[in-house]
Amino acid sequence: MIVFYTCLTEQYGFIPCIKDQKIDDFHYVVLHENHREAFGNKGWEYILLTDAPGNSQKRQRYAKMMSHQYFPEAEYTIYIDPSYYIKKDFYKRCLEIIKDKPNFVTTYDKSTNRTITEEALYAFNRGTLYFEDLKLVRKNIKDYFYSSNNSWLIRKNTKEVNDINEAWWNLYQTCYTEHGRDQLLLPSVCDEEY
């Protein structure tokens, strides 16, 4: 089973109708907290998010990072940040990638070639990273860094990948008190060759 999922906490974002875009190879799930749009036949199964810890951003990040906790029977999970309109070609591309049998795929654009400092300043200037958290990030991450978006993740449900999920979540909790940029942390627990 391949689970394609997203997560909406509180009332942020929207749930697009994907009925005409779906491919049969995936099971489509929205994890949510009584979201106002989590009803009706839009092509998704709606699952109430009840056990994620922290504020709304941390709960959303937990669901994003800990796919194996929500879908233990899945062979693969595909996560996408909420509120994207997705076309059938995107689902087909995900399936093509999975047929190559990767363990972990994240969006990674070498053309941006941003450093960790540039990534952190971007988040700081948007108000999604606080100065005290930035100090914790610098203290807890490895010097190794690659610029990733992480709005789209394909993961195989293996012990090695689940260990990365756990390490990523644990580092996120260590580094952030309120809000945080998970993109800064993944390279410390998963090198780009994985």
Side-chain angles (χ1 to χ4, degrees):
M1 172 174 62
I2 301 170
V3 175
F4 188 98
Y5 80 105
T6 192
C7 177
L8 293 122
T9 52
E10 295 186 357
Q11 295 301 311
Y12 299 112
F14 65 93
I15 300 173
C17 180
I18 60 169
K19 287 191 305 186
D20 296 335
Q21 301 301 321
K22 291 169 53 170
I23 60 173
D24 292 336
D25 303 88
F26 298 159
H27 180 80
Y28 301 84
V29 175
V30 172
L31 298 170
H32 69 96
E33 297 177 319
N34 291 312
H35 195 276
R36 67 188 176 283
E37 293 189 14
F39 68 91
N41 184 10
K42 296 179 184 178
W44 302 92
E45 176 186 354
Y46 306 111
I47 298 177
L48 198 57
L49 184 66
T50 58
D51 60 347
N55 64 26
S56 65
Q57 188 187 55
K58 282 191 175 184
R59 292 190 305 272
Q60 189 274 336
R61 296 301 192 270
Y62 183 82
K64 174 182 182 175
M65 295 176 193
M66 303 291 280
S67 58
H68 61 289
Q69 294 293 329
Y70 294 97
F71 311 107
E73 303 301 317
E75 180 182 5
Y76 279 93
T77 59
I78 304 168
Y79 170 84
I80 191 153
D81 278 348
S83 304
Y84 283 100
Y85 286 109
I86 301 170
K87 301 285 186 185
K88 189 176 284 194
D89 288 344
F90 180 80
Y91 298 125
K92 289 178 181 176
R93 178 67 183 125
C94 289
L95 188 58
E96 288 173 16
I97 291 169
I98 287 172
K99 287 180 180 176
D100 288 337
K101 303 206 182 310
N103 285 320
F104 200 109
V105 176
T106 182
T107 47
Y108 173 44
D109 183 3
K110 291 183 181 187
S111 68
T112 62
N113 202 22
R114 289 204 285 198
T115 65
I116 190 165
T117 301
E118 290 167 328
E119 289 279 350
L121 285 173
Y122 171 79
F124 181 78
N125 289 331
R126 289 184 64 213
T128 57
L129 181 64
Y130 301 120
F131 183 72
E132 57 273 10
D133 294 333
L134 186 56
K135 290 189 292 186
L136 285 170
V137 169
R138 284 303 299 157
K139 177 181 171 188
N140 287 286
I141 62 170
K142 295 189 284 187
D143 289 333
Y144 173 75
F145 180 75
Y146 59 91
S147 181
S148 65
N149 184 329
N150 296 346
S151 63
W152 170 58
L153 302 166
I154 297 175
R155 288 170 282 187
K156 188 169 187 176
N157 191 1
T158 65
K159 180 184 180 332
E160 293 81 15
V161 170
N162 295 341
D163 288 347
I164 291 168
N165 292 344
E166 300 274 349
W168 191 18
W169 171 247
N170 290 335
L171 187 56
Y172 185 87
Q173 289 190 106
T174 299
C175 291
Y176 300 121
T177 53
E178 290 279 330
H179 302 283
R181 189 152 175 86
D182 57 276
Q183 291 88 337
L184 298 174
L185 307 179
L186 184 60
S188 284
V189 297
C190 177
D191 66 46
E192 63 185 301
E193 271 75 48
Y194 194 78

